[in-house]
Amino acid sequence: MTDPSARLIDGKAFAASLRQSIATEVGRLKDRLGTVPGLAVLMVGDDPASDVYVRNKARQTAECGMKSVERRFAASLTETDLLEEIARLNDDPTIHGILVQLPLPAHINADRVIAAIRPDKDVDGFHPVNAGLLATGGKGLVPCTPLGCLLLLRDVLGDMTGLQAVVVGRSNIVGKPMAQLLLQESCTVTVAHSRTRDLPAICRQADILVAAVGRPAMIRGDWIKPGATVIDVGINRIAAEGGKTRLTGDVAFDEAARVAGAITPVPGGVGPMTIACLLRNTLTAFARINNQD
């Protein structure tokens, strides 16, 4: 790997600091209210990647002093049974955040499941009500990954007013909410994607470039405006030497790091922020439900 000239944005360190501040606030609220935020994570099936993610969520939730509840179900679980479990958690006063781990088995309608979660407990920020609140500037829960990207950008850039931002990717999970958050920061925002005409030229206009397209090293170094801040959301597993695999982002890191002003690595950039922001959302949900916001 060539020594980069860009500043490396250390998402791992930022996430650790965020979790510490969350733990401090949880302790303060426990002293005041005698209770703590509760997060319930539901997993259907035995996807190995999801299993690692769920275990990490549970561990970090407990480390922050919150109540952690895991519900694991066989892949044969019916959609009706899953919806009934969500209904129970919706009514449980000790649970303030509900997350259903995606992907779900093919026989379960993910949109129907997400819509069944109470919007004020939807700590993934995927419920149509929360999506609508974000789009209209309301007070909802924001998807964790774009929220983490925003916090990193604020840390690096401070005031983003008037900056040109390009988001490559249009998913409901990252691309669209990321664009809405950047609009709220008074950026001028372009949403591009894999079918955008002359995508390299669009990317070269960006003071802020967020890559969330899911294609390894798609964004090349000569697509980057000199001095731009690059946020790489991609987590792609590719073949490496010796029959092993390694993680890489959507940005050709070595090339981009020679041009950008600041850049997130993969791993160690955006990834650690996702769970930290899930905990932040759970704390936010708790505070709002208990009129402490």
Side-chain angles (χ1 to χ4, degrees):
M1 180 181 292
T2 304
D3 290 337
S5 60
R7 168 187 170 182
L8 288 182
I9 301 172
D10 190 343
K12 187 175 181 179
F14 193 102
S17 176
L18 179 57
R19 290 195 304 272
Q20 183 57 54
S21 66
I22 290 168
T24 299
E25 181 63 11
V26 168
R28 188 184 69 82
L29 288 169
K30 182 179 181 181
D31 290 342
R32 178 190 295 179
L33 302 175
T35 187
V36 298
L39 173 63
V41 178
L42 282 63
M43 179 175 167
V44 183
D46 55 2
D47 178 74
S50 292
D51 181 66
V52 171
Y53 196 40
V54 167
R55 282 191 281 111
N56 286 338
K57 288 174 182 175
R59 175 178 56 79
Q60 293 184 29
T61 301
E63 287 174 352
C64 285
M66 298 184 185
K67 175 181 178 179
S68 176
V69 174
E70 283 186 55
R71 297 280 190 267
R72 292 173 178 260
F73 304 97
S76 58
L77 182 77
T78 68
E79 182 178 299
T80 298
D81 286 342
L82 180 57
L83 293 174
E84 288 177 353
E85 179 63 23
I86 291 170
R88 284 192 288 271
L89 293 169
N90 280 338
D91 293 336
D92 187 338
T94 71
I95 296 299
H96 308 89
I98 302 170
L99 181 150
V100 178
Q101 184 65 35
L102 302 176
L104 290 167
H107 67 278
I108 297 178
N109 185 311
D111 290 340
R112 192 174 296 130
V113 168
I114 291 168
I117 300 170
R118 258 177 54 177
D120 60 345
K121 293 189 177 186
D122 166 43
V123 286
D124 251 342
F126 295 163
H127 194 286
V129 167
N130 284 319
L133 288 169
L134 178 59
T136 56
K139 191 176 178 181
L141 291 166
V142 177
C144 303
T145 298
L147 178 58
C149 294
L150 178 67
L151 295 179
L152 293 176
L153 285 167
R154 284 177 175 168
D155 185 60
V156 172
L157 296 172
D159 184 9
M160 289 177 265
T161 299
L163 294 182
Q164 295 279 346
V166 173
V167 179
V168 185
R170 50 181 168 173
S171 72
N172 292 332
I173 294 173
V174 179
K176 291 175 184 175
M178 188 75 250
Q180 297 291 346
L181 290 171
L182 289 166
L183 283 171
Q184 290 182 11
E185 297 294 312
S186 298
C187 294
T188 300
V189 182
T190 299
V191 179
H193 44 81
S194 60
R195 298 185 183 181
T196 296
R197 292 183 181 178
D198 201 359
L199 182 57
I202 298 292
C203 291
R204 288 187 202 106
Q205 299 173 12
D207 302 304
I208 298 168
L209 180 62
V210 181
V213 73
R215 295 191 180 185
M218 177 179 170
I219 309 296
R220 312 305 303 188
D222 61 1
W223 296 22
I224 308 297
K225 179 180 180 179
T229 300
V230 179
I231 304 294
D232 190 350
V233 182
I235 301 180
N236 310 287
R237 190 167 290 280
I238 63 172
E241 293 181 3
K244 297 181 180 179
T245 63
R246 65 180 179 88
L247 292 178
T248 188
D250 292 348
V251 177
F253 179 85
D254 287 357
E255 297 175 15
R258 291 193 288 267
V259 183
I263 188 170
T264 57
V266 177
V270 173
M273 293 296 295
T274 298
I275 296 180
C277 286
L278 171 66
L279 302 176
R280 186 179 190 263
N281 275 352
T282 304
L283 178 59
T284 297
F286 173 85
R288 290 175 181 171
I289 290 169
N290 288 279
N291 299 312
Q292 299 295 309
D293 186 32

